[in-house]
Amino acid sequence: MKHPTTRTTRAGRIVRAGAVLVILGCAGLLGRMHRLAAAPPAGGGAKVLKGVEAMGYLVAQRQYDKARKFGYALIWRDLDQPEVMFLLGRALEGLKKNDEAATIYALLLRTLEDKADPRRYKPQAEARLKVLDVDHQRRKAKFIAAAAGRKFDSPQAVDDGWMLAARCDLFTPYCLGCWTLVGPRGRVPPDWIHNREGRLHRSGAKFIPAFDGRKGLLYTQSIKDKPHPEKYGSDGFHVEHLARLGGHPPQLTLTNFGGCCYLRIGVKAEGRVFELRVYVEGKRMFSQRIDSSRWWDLKVQLPQPAAAASRPADAGAAGGAATKPAQQQVIVEMVCPEDQPLSGNVWIDYADFFVN
């Protein structure tokens, strides 16, 4: 499945003038100007460094914290910047924020899917992930190995391991309200959840550790799949993102590693209603209108996965080919209904497969 990148206007520059070097980051983008002092190179004169050139300078000077802040400002509305993303990952490594760096490298690889990579950022990011991702891959393998026979006890008991293999359509930090990366949003209370909590997650969503009585959540968007004939006509945001996603609303892609019979999912709307749709092999299996009045803990029966032939370790001794359940893919789509505004936001507490 194709997951295109997000693309908008870039901002940010470094002004080098004699004894002063100042970063002017995204004044129009974030509604204010960030000024960060840094030591200038030797020599006089004045030169302006912009965007990725400024980012590269900061990383080369090992001014990692300033590079981190500047990098997040640069990708705030535009993830489609491989060099900035790679430099941001290096800055985070310099700060010993290895989990955060691994997330940025993983998202960088997502933005490069089905695209040319003339500067070879893909192999560079993959090389860094081999170093940083040992624990992540171990936890993911352990979670997948225990998938068959997993039983559902309660929403609170669901292991957050489901997020290790989940895949959400990409949105920018701006679209996901990642204000913790760039400073609090004004004109809202300082203790607003998106000012206090939230970081980019390698699934493509935003991760928040706790909200409204639930722990370990992903936060993403819903978008209308078609405009209402009389109201809520298309706007630029709706048209741009629907086209970017290949004509479908935002999706969460899950893999039924254990061949379980049921999908269990806990969701809630943030303000605006959305419709949750579940697809298996292109066929809609379930739909439910979701509002913000409560947590919706849903149980969806799935078709039995088809058997897939596989070669055993000793085919002769086994007397022929063995079979194992195919890894069934399930698509969860988040759609703004026709009678609602064009987009909204979605809380996902859990989305995993169980035998009951």
Side-chain angles (χ1 to χ4, degrees):
M1 182 179 301
K2 195 171 182 180
H3 291 255
T5 59
T6 52
R7 185 178 291 119
T8 53
T9 305
R10 302 170 189 171
R13 61 177 178 162
I14 290 180
V15 179
R16 182 191 299 166
V20 180
L21 180 65
V22 177
I23 301 172
L24 305 178
C26 306
L29 180 64
L30 303 180
R32 67 187 181 281
M33 184 175 292
H34 301 283
R35 297 179 180 272
L36 307 175
K47 184 179 180 181
V48 175
L49 304 181
K50 299 181 180 180
V52 66
E53 187 180 14
M55 184 72 178
Y57 175 83
L58 290 173
V59 173
Q61 295 296 311
R62 298 187 179 182
Q63 298 184 48
Y64 297 129
D65 191 54
K66 293 172 184 177
R68 175 186 65 84
K69 295 174 182 176
F70 191 60
Y72 278 127
L74 286 174
I75 68 168
W76 180 243
R77 290 180 183 261
D78 185 5
L79 289 176
D80 191 16
Q81 301 180 77
E83 189 170 359
V84 172
M85 294 280 280
F86 186 76
L87 289 169
L88 177 56
R90 297 304 305 219
L92 291 165
E93 285 193 74
L95 293 169
K96 309 301 181 185
K97 298 179 180 288
N98 289 344
D99 288 345
E100 197 173 340
T103 295
I104 292 299
Y105 292 136
L107 293 175
L108 166 59
L109 293 177
R110 289 281 304 275
T111 68
L112 288 173
E113 290 178 353
D114 304 317
K115 291 181 61 179
D117 181 26
R119 300 288 296 275
R120 293 184 56 78
Y121 289 110
K122 181 177 180 179
Q124 293 182 73
E126 290 172 337
R128 296 311 305 152
L129 280 174
K130 284 184 180 179
V131 176
L132 301 174
D133 242 10
V134 174
D135 182 60
H136 172 86
Q137 295 300 333
R138 178 189 60 78
R139 289 185 292 116
K140 182 177 177 181
K142 182 179 179 181
F143 182 81
I144 292 173
R150 184 174 286 128
K151 293 184 178 180
F152 181 87
D153 294 320
S154 70
Q156 291 75 19
V158 176
D159 190 329
D160 281 349
W162 71 270
M163 297 182 186
L164 298 171
R167 180 182 171 110
C168 292
D169 281 321
L170 287 181
F171 285 93
T172 63
Y174 167 74
C175 290
L176 296 174
C178 290
W179 294 95
T180 56
L181 302 180
V182 295
R185 181 181 180 182
R187 300 186 301 278
V188 296
D191 63 349
W192 182 48
I193 182 64
H194 301 292
N195 276 342
R196 291 187 291 109
E197 299 282 2
R199 58 177 172 81
L200 292 175
H201 190 270
R202 68 172 61 201
S203 66
K206 177 172 73 173
F207 177 82
I208 287 185
F211 174 72
D212 195 23
R214 299 293 177 98
K215 294 182 178 180
L217 305 106
L218 294 185
Y219 181 81
T220 187
Q221 288 214 323
S222 57
I223 290 179
K224 191 183 297 292
D225 57 348
K226 57 183 178 182
H228 191 277
E230 298 176 358
K231 61 180 180 179
Y232 299 124
S234 297
D235 64 3
F237 180 92
H238 173 252
V239 171
E240 172 193 350
H241 286 288
L242 197 60
R244 180 178 65 80
L245 297 175
H248 62 73
Q251 295 179 340
L252 167 66
T253 303
L254 305 164
T255 302
N256 187 3
F257 292 107
C260 296
C261 298
Y262 298 97
L263 167 69
R264 296 269 195 164
I265 181 166
V267 292
K268 184 178 183 179
E270 184 176 75
R272 296 176 178 175
V273 172
F274 72 94
E275 182 182 349
L276 182 142
R277 301 172 182 171
V278 177
Y279 293 86
V280 178
E281 297 180 352
K283 181 180 180 181
R284 189 189 301 188
M285 308 300 301
F286 178 87
S287 66
Q288 174 67 54
R289 193 175 173 102
I290 307 294
D291 62 24
S292 59
S293 66
R294 63 182 177 89
W295 284 103
W296 294 76
D297 295 296
L298 307 172
K299 178 180 178 180
V300 182
Q301 186 168 5
L302 302 171
Q304 184 176 358
S310 63
R311 183 177 297 277
D314 185 349
T323 60
K324 63 179 180 180
Q327 291 187 349
Q328 181 184 63
Q329 273 206 337
V330 176
I331 304 295
V332 178
E333 205 166 69
M334 292 148 287
V335 189
C336 289
E338 282 193 21
D339 63 344
Q340 297 293 309
L342 298 171
S343 62
N345 293 102
V346 178
W347 293 98
I348 307 173
D349 179 30
Y350 59 90
D352 202 1
F353 302 93
F354 300 90
V355 296
N356 63 326

